[in-house]
Amino acid sequence: MKRVGVLVSGSGSNLQAILDAQKAESLGAEVRLVISNIAGVRALDRARDAGVSAEVISHRDFSSREEFDARLIARLKEHGIELVVLAGFMRLLTPKFIESFQIINIHPALLPSFPGVHAAKQALDHGAKITGCTVHFVDSGCDTGPIIAQRAVPILDGDDEETLGARIQAEEHRLLPAVISAIAHGRVRLVSGSRRVEGSV
Amino acid sequence: MKRVGVLVSGSGSNLQAILDAQKAESLGAEVRLVISNIAGVRALDRARDAGVSAEVISHRDFSSREEFDARLIARLKEHGIELVVLAGFMRLLTPKFIESFQIINIHPALLPSFPGVHAAKQALDHGAKITGCTVHFVDSGCDTGPIIAQRAVPILDGDDEETLGARIQAEEHRLLPAVISAIAHGRVRLVSGSRRVEGSV
């Protein structure tokens, strides 16, 4: 079973979707460690309720990003983590971290549209009619890595950031565990010499 | 019936979709004039076969874009055109033209992703998993105007520019006549003070 570490910063609803899939034995991978850079967030309770090790490593306890990441790397390696999932983790990672693991991120838009923060609001302000979510491998850019899977979500008249955000999240909760399962079973692969990922999710 | 002018530069498959909708009486608008900036293209035959006036106004016969556009404006006004549809028209329009009519364009991607030329190839090279098509009001930018409607199209393993382009086009042929009908029936409106278009297509 592929060993998965999940990095979080907040409520952890995507983490919950992963833990639910693990409980239902549809994940094909095992979440061995959850790390939050913020103390007291609900994600930590969700992990512990599922019997998964959970700890806080606060970026504020380190004088540089490199030192913070070195601690993250050390803890993840100690747990034998092979795949790192960013599930609402609100810190940028150093190149050293990115080279150390296979890492995936979920973003609440159809990249390359609406990268960065407040993606649902960006989509609304732009007047888009379709947005969605994207799971991608993490590279050194912000939301720029090779795309593994995307799902479309309609934008409806009268939507605000909250209603649209909830509709996107519901799709995220289906997509992220499915991508982890596809990676764990070797069903997706990066096409060499390109940024295209082939295989079914 | 709202009088529609269609500008084309090539084969005119989107024009054909509009003419088919007109024939089936589902367009709610009347195509009165088709103008191509290129002589001998199939779009001109399609227009004439449907009994619609079709003419060539070559940009090469004018020494400036302003003069070319002035001729286009004059011919469209003479036919009482209220709505101009860009259906594969490969020339940029001057501000004067843009102020003279309500204008819509169809673009083979989910804007703001992949604006400009070769949108299907851009989506493939980026490794996107979902692309689509967008109908938008035309402003002075390139593919930047307020979005009226979008449809998602999946990108499949093994797709090349031709297979993906054909899948997008099939969706375009459904969407463009539907948007013209929605505009003709007053079912879509720009929300004032924003770039959001509300209403159903």
Side-chain angles (χ1 to χ4, degrees), chain A residues 110-114 124-131 133 143-152 155-160 189 195-200, chain B residues 110-114 124-131 133 143-152 155-160 189 195-200:
Chain A
L110 291 178
L111 293 170
S113 285
F114 315 125
L124 285 169
D125 290 348
H126 191 81
K129 297 297 182 179
I130 295 177
T131 184
C133 54
D143 303 324
T144 56
I147 291 170
I148 305 166
Q150 299 184 299
R151 294 292 182 268
I155 299 177
L156 306 179
D157 285 359
D159 262 343
D160 58 25
R189 66 201 163 277
R195 47 172 293 128
R196 291 180 72 171
V197 176
E198 289 197 335
S200 64
Chain B
L110 291 178
L111 293 171
S113 285
F114 315 126
L124 286 168
D125 290 348
H126 191 82
K129 296 296 183 180
I130 295 178
T131 184
C133 54
D143 302 325
T144 56
I147 292 169
I148 305 166
Q150 298 184 300
R151 294 292 182 268
I155 298 176
L156 307 179
D157 284 358
D159 262 343
D160 58 24
R189 66 201 163 277
R195 47 171 292 126
R196 292 179 71 170
V197 176
E198 289 197 336
S200 64

Side-chain angles (χ1 to χ4, degrees), chain A residues 51-169:
Chain A
V52 172
S53 297
E55 56 191 65
V56 176
I57 301 178
S58 172
H59 57 283
R60 297 190 179 171
D61 293 343
F62 299 85
S63 56
S64 73
R65 226 204 285 176
E66 284 69 23
E67 289 172 62
F68 172 60
D69 277 15
R71 172 65 76 83
L72 291 179
I73 292 168
R75 292 300 291 152
L76 292 162
K77 295 270 188 203
E78 282 163 32
H79 282 76
I81 301 302
E82 300 157 285
L83 171 65
V84 173
V85 178
L86 308 184
F89 182 66
M90 299 303 284
R91 305 294 299 173
L92 288 174
L93 297 167
T94 56
K96 170 82 175 163
F97 189 102
I98 289 164
E99 290 158 17
S100 300
F101 304 95
Q102 189 175 42
I103 313 169
I104 63 173
N105 181 48
I106 186 154
H107 181 79
L110 291 178
L111 293 170
S113 285
F114 315 125
V117 296
H118 305 304
K121 184 173 188 305
Q122 286 185 58
L124 285 169
D125 290 348
H126 191 81
K129 297 297 182 179
I130 295 177
T131 184
C133 54
T134 299
V135 179
H136 62 92
F137 289 119
V138 171
D139 65 11
S140 57
C142 175
D143 303 324
T144 56
I147 291 170
I148 305 166
Q150 299 184 299
R151 294 292 182 268
V153 171
I155 299 177
L156 306 179
D157 285 359
D159 262 343
D160 58 25
E161 194 175 353
E162 192 175 344
T163 59
L164 177 59
R167 195 176 308 119
I168 295 169
Q169 273 211 329

